[in-house]
């Protein structure tokens, strides 16, 4: 058994020079605080309240919470707050090669991550809170635009990852622009993004337990669709603007009553 008190780290810096992808990352203003943690019997039911904050490539991150790591329930709850994380800096770290480029985009989060594992029961991991993606721009590898939007907000009521149950209160998409293109060979750019060699006629095994989901509201404002057809001798272009849409009370069990 052990007991530790008043552990603090402040003003730390970590520099990472990744010459493989040509990126440099700096984690600065590192602050870590652990007021108390103990495995002694009298303290197992006392919450440990760690805190961590830093700037990752200039974007603030904050992680704080409370946990009972030595209690039978393993009860833990953490708040994950990210502010303006620049996504293109980390796009090259994808484990698979993607046929697109991420030209711009930033991520904000305000999430609560809760974990419990009562004795004799399966572990339960539930996420709730808000996620926002701002000023996203995705292009084809050759350059043409595929998708862009000003802002995407997702309000998660409860995402029970262990049970496969997802409750999304609202999804709001502002100023999306979709670029669709038929090449000179007659292929569609969005279909070209699908993995090659997949047998579409081969049936897939259903999951052991179907995912349950519900969506309170989805809103699209100021949308646009751009269509370019190069498959004919005369190139055809058209753009549809001012696309608006609203959906309410959807779910895996059908429409949900108000």
């Amino acid at each position: 058994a052990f007991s530790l008190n008043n552990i603090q780290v402040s003003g730390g810096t970590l520099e990472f020079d990744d010459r493989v992808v040509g990126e440099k990352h700096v984690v600065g203003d590192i602050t870590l605080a652990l007021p108390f943690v103990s495995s002694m019997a009298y303290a197992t039911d006392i919450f440990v309240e760690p805190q961590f904050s830093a700037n990752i490539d200039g974007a603030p991150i904050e992680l704080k919470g409370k946990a009972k790591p030595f209690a039978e329930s393993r009860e833990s709850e953490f708040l994950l707050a990210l502010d303006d994380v620049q996504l293109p800096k980390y796009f090259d770290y994808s484990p698979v090669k993607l046929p697109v480029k991420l030209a711009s985009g930033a991520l904000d989060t305000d999430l609560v991550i809760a974990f419990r594992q009562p004795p004799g029961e399966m572990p339960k991991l539930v996420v709730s809170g808000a996620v926002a993606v701002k000023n996203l721009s995705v292009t084809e590898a050759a350059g043409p635009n595929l998708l862009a939007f000003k802002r995407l907000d997702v309000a998660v009521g409860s995402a029970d990852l262990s049970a496969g149950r997802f409750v999304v209160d609202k999804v709001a998409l502002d100023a999306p622009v979709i670029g669709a293109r038929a090449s000179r060979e007659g292929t569609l750019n969005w279909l070209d993004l699908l993995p090659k060699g997949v047998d579409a006629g081969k049936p897939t095994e259903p999951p052991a337990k179907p995912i349950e989901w519900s969506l309170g509201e989805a809103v699209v404002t100021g949308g646009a669709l751009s269509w370019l057809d190069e498959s004919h001798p005369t190139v055809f272009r058209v753009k549809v603007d001012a696309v608006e849409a609203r959906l309410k009370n959807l779910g895996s069990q059908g429409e949900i009553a108000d």
Side-chain angles (χ1 to χ4, degrees), residues 44 46-50 65-69 74-78:
T44 56
I46 299 175
F47 277 110
V48 178
E49 299 184 1
K66 56 183 182 179
K68 297 179 180 178
R74 304 292 193 269
E75 181 180 354
S76 303
E77 184 176 289
F78 288 89

Side-chain angles (χ1 to χ4, degrees), residues 67-89:
K68 297 179 180 178
F70 304 107
E72 289 187 350
S73 67
R74 304 292 193 269
E75 181 180 354
S76 303
E77 184 176 289
F78 288 89
L79 169 67
L80 176 61
L82 302 175
D83 184 14
D84 208 40
V85 175
Q86 297 300 310
L87 298 176
K89 280 182 168 289

Side-chain angles (χ1 to χ4, degrees), residues 147-214:
L147 173 67
F149 55 76
K150 184 176 180 180
R151 187 178 179 96
L152 170 66
D153 286 289
V154 181
V156 181
S158 174
D160 189 339
L161 304 182
S162 48
R165 288 192 293 266
F166 301 88
V167 177
V168 179
D169 295 334
K170 185 175 181 178
V171 176
L173 183 58
D174 183 25
V177 179
I178 297 175
R181 177 177 60 87
S183 70
R184 294 177 180 177
E185 293 75 25
T187 61
L188 298 179
N189 58 342
W190 282 88
L191 295 180
D192 288 341
L193 302 179
L194 298 177
K196 301 298 188 294
V198 177
D199 186 358
K202 184 179 179 180
T204 57
E205 295 184 4
K209 182 180 179 180
I211 293 176
E212 299 178 21
W213 62 271
S214 65

Side-chain angles (χ1 to χ4, degrees), residues 219-223 242-246:
V219 180
V220 177
T221 56
V243 176
E244 309 279 335
R246 183 183 298 269

